[in-house]
C-alpha cells in the first residue's frame, strides 16, 4: 500500500513539473497566451539580436537579421507577420573566416533586394586586429535567401577619386533610394577605435561600389553623443510629408545609447551639408519607468497595413554585464573590465514600435 501511495505521489510530481515546464515555454514563446499583443508592447520580438534589421519583400514575407551574440555568423529568418519572427527558424547563411578579413566581430548585417538580386551588407574585423572593421557585401545566387548560396563580393569599394572611404574603422552600412538615386550611409572613425565615429553619405554606382566621394553627414556635436565614446552610427531612413529623415545612434552601447535624427527637404541635394538639420536632443533614449535601457540601432519597415514601424534594440536593465566567452582571445583586458563592457552583454533584444508623426510631419518615437 505504501509503495502504491509513493508511486502515485511520484506521478503527480512529474505531471506538475511537466505542466510548469509547458507553461513556461508557452509564456516565453507566445505572448498572446496571456492576452498581450507583442506588436503593441515593449516586449522583444526576437531575443538577443542587437542591430535588428527587417525588410518586407514583395513576396509578403518579413526578412529579419541582426548581430548574433557570438558575433561570428549571419542568420536570417522570415515570417508572414512581425509577431511570427520570434518563433521563425533562424537560418545560418554565412559564417566567419578562421583568420584574416571577416574573421572577427561580424556586426550589424542588413538584407536588401536591389536590381532583382539579394544582398547582405555587414561589418567585420580580423582575428589578429579586432578593431580593423570594414564593410563587406554578400550576394545571393538565387532568389531564396534562406536556401540558396550566398557568395562573398568582398569589401565595399570607394569611388575612384575617393582615397579616404573605408580606410579606417568602418561599420553599420545601410542602403536607401531617393529621387532616382541610390545612397550608401555608414559610420567611420578616422583615427582608429577611440576616435570620433562620424556618419558619411555617398551616392552608389553599383551595389558594391560608391559613385561619389564621401560626404560627412554628422559628427558627435552634443553631450548626449559623447558619453564614454564619441559616436554617431547605425543610420536608418524614413520619409514623410516632403522630408527625408535619417535616424542614428549615439554614445557607448550601454544605457547611455540613444537615437538622434537628421532631416532634409526631399528635393534638396543630400550631399550638401547645408541641406541637413540635426536634432538638438535625442529623439529616443533610456526610459527607466518603462524598464528600457540603451535603445538604438534601428531600422524601419511597415506593418501588414503599410503603416511605418521602427525596429530597434534595447536591454531590460541598466548595468550591462559582459560575457567573457564573447570576447576575442586577443583581448587581454582584466576580467572585471571585460565584464563592465556592454558590447559583450548579449541581452540587447530586438523590439518594435509604431512610428507616429507630429503636426509638422516629423516622426515621433514613443515607448508603449
Amino acid at each position: 500500500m505504501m509503495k502504491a501511495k509513493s508511486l502515485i505521489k511520484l506521478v503527480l510530481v512529474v505531471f506538475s513539473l511537466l505542466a510548469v515546464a509547458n507553461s513556461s515555454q508557452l509564456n516565453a514563446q507566445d505572448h498572446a497566451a496571456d492576452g498581450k499583443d507583442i506588436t503593441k508592447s515593449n516586449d522583444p520580438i526576437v531575443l538577443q539580436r542587437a542591430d535588428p534589421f527587417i525588410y518586407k519583400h514583395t513576396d509578403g514575407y518579413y526578412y529579419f537579421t541582426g548581430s548574433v551574440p557570438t558575433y561570428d555568423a549571419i542568420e536570417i529568418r522570415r515570417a508572414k507577420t512581425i509577431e511570427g519572427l520570434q518563433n521563425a527558424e533562424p537560418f545560418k547563411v554565412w559564417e566567419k573566416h578562421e583568420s584574416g578579413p571577416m574573421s572577427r566581430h561580424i556586426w550589424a548585417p542588413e538584407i536588401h533586394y536591389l536590381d532583382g538580386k539579394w544582398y547582405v551588407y555587414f561589418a567585420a574585423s580580423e582575428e589578429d586586429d579586432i578593431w580593423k572593421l570594414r564593410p563587406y557585401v554578400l550576394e545571393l545566387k538565387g532568389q531564396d535567401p534562406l536556401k540558396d548560396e550566398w557568395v562573398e563580393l568582398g569589401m565595399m569599394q570607394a569611388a575612384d577619386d575617393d582615397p579616404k572611404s573605408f580606410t579606417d574603422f568602418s561599420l553599420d552600412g545601410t542602403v536607401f533610394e531617393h529621387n532616382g538615386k541610390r545612397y550608401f550611409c555608414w559610420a567611420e572613425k578616422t583615427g582608429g577605435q577611440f576616435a570620433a565615429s562620424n556618419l558619411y553619405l555617398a551616392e552608389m554606382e553599383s551595389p558594391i561600389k560608391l559613385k561619389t566621394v564621401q560626404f560627412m553627414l554628422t559628427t558627435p556635436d552634443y553631450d548626449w553623443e559623447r558619453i564614454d565614446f564619441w559616436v554617431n552610427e547605425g543610420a536608418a531612413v524614413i520619409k514623410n510629408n516632403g522630408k527625408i529623415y535619417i535616424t542614428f545612434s549615439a554614445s557607448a552601447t550601454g544605457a547611455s545609447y540613444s537615437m538622434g535624427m537628421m532631416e532634409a527637404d526631399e528635393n534638396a541635394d543630400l550631399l550638401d551639408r547645408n541641406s541637413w538639420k540635426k536634432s538638438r536632443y535625442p529623439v529616443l533614449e533610456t526610459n527607466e519607468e518603462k524598464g528600457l535601457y540603451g535603445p538604438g540601432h534601428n531600422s524601419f519597415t511597415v506593418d501588414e497595413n503599410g503603416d511605418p514601424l521602427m525596429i530597434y534594440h534595447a536591454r531590460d536593465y541598466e548595468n550591462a554585464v559582459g560575457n567573457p566567452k564573447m570576447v576575442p582571445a586577443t583581448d587581454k583586458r582584466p576580467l572585471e573590465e571585460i565584464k563592465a563592457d556592454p558590447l559583450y552583454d548579449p541581452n540587447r533584444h530586438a523590439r518594435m514600435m509604431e512610428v507616429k508623426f507630429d503636426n509638422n510631419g516629423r516622426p515621433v518615437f514613443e515607448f508603449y
Side-chain angles (χ1 to χ4, degrees), residues 50-318:
D51 317 320
F53 186 87
I54 293 181
Y55 167 70
K56 188 177 184 183
H57 192 44
T58 54
D59 61 3
Y61 280 98
Y62 290 94
Y63 289 81
F64 174 95
T65 188
S67 298
V68 301
T70 46
Y71 299 152
D72 61 357
I74 294 174
E75 290 183 352
I76 299 172
R77 63 181 74 189
R78 69 182 170 198
K80 283 289 188 179
T81 64
I82 297 285
E83 191 168 21
L85 289 169
Q86 62 180 326
N87 293 323
E89 180 182 358
F91 286 78
K92 186 178 291 186
V93 300
W94 182 87
E95 293 184 86
K96 74 176 184 68
H97 294 193
E98 290 301 315
S99 61
M102 297 184 284
S103 61
R104 177 59 68 174
H105 282 159
I106 311 304
W107 284 348
E110 292 194 2
I111 183 169
H112 294 266
Y113 193 73
L114 309 172
D115 305 327
K117 292 184 178 182
W118 290 96
Y119 296 90
V120 166
Y121 296 84
F122 65 101
S125 65
E126 302 185 12
E127 190 69 35
D128 295 329
D129 190 351
I130 63 173
W131 301 118
K132 191 178 180 181
L133 282 148
R134 300 292 186 273
Y136 294 91
V137 188
L138 304 178
E139 180 182 281
L140 186 67
K141 294 301 181 183
Q143 289 295 314
D144 187 341
L146 306 186
K147 302 291 180 63
D148 292 334
E149 179 189 7
W150 289 91
V151 297
E152 299 169 4
L153 298 185
M155 206 176 90
M156 191 69 188
Q157 302 169 22
D160 293 336
D161 55 348
D162 181 358
K164 295 183 179 180
S165 293
F166 317 130
T167 59
D168 212 327
F169 184 109
S170 307
L171 71 168
D172 293 354
T174 192
V175 176
F176 68 95
E177 297 187 8
H178 186 66
N179 288 346
K181 297 179 179 179
R182 184 174 293 152
Y183 295 88
F184 192 71
C185 188
W186 74 101
E188 185 163 353
K189 296 182 179 182
T190 53
Q193 179 199 358
F194 297 104
S197 174
N198 308 316
L199 275 185
Y200 293 91
L201 186 63
E203 188 180 344
M204 298 174 71
E205 177 181 293
S206 73
I208 194 174
K209 186 175 181 179
L210 303 184
K211 181 179 180 179
T212 61
V213 173
Q214 62 165 246
F215 153 69
M216 191 175 76
L217 177 67
T218 171
T219 190
D221 298 300
Y222 303 122
D223 54 352
W224 53 272
E225 302 172 284
R226 298 180 173 188
I227 301 174
D228 293 333
F229 291 101
W230 292 26
V231 173
N232 286 170
E233 64 182 17
V237 175
I238 187 170
K239 305 174 188 179
N240 187 59
N241 198 29
K243 294 286 186 70
I244 180 169
Y245 300 91
I246 296 182
T247 57
F248 62 92
S249 297
S251 290
T253 57
S256 60
Y257 208 52
S258 59
M259 279 175 48
M261 188 168 69
M262 306 287 295
E263 62 182 89
D265 185 87
E266 64 179 1
N267 296 314
D269 179 0
L270 300 189
L271 301 183
D272 183 344
R273 183 65 185 85
N274 294 322
S275 298
W276 293 94
K277 179 183 178 181
K278 185 177 182 176
S279 60
R280 174 61 184 89
Y281 299 100
V283 294
L284 189 69
E285 58 187 329
T286 287
N287 187 315
E288 295 182 3
E289 182 180 346
K290 300 289 186 179
L292 294 167
Y293 297 86
H297 203 122
N298 70 293
S299 60
F300 294 103
T301 187
V302 294
D303 65 15
E304 288 80 359
N305 298 317
D307 296 322
L309 299 173
M310 186 181 80
I311 312 300
Y312 68 100
H313 73 232
R315 291 189 179 88
D316 297 321
Y317 49 87
E318 180 176 6

Side-chain angles (χ1 to χ4, degrees), residues 346-364:
N347 293 316
R348 290 181 290 176
H349 305 315
R351 307 166 195 264
M352 62 149 287
M353 69 168 61
E354 295 177 351
V355 179
K356 301 176 183 178
F357 298 94
D358 65 17
N359 293 334
N360 296 317
R362 300 179 77 248
V364 176

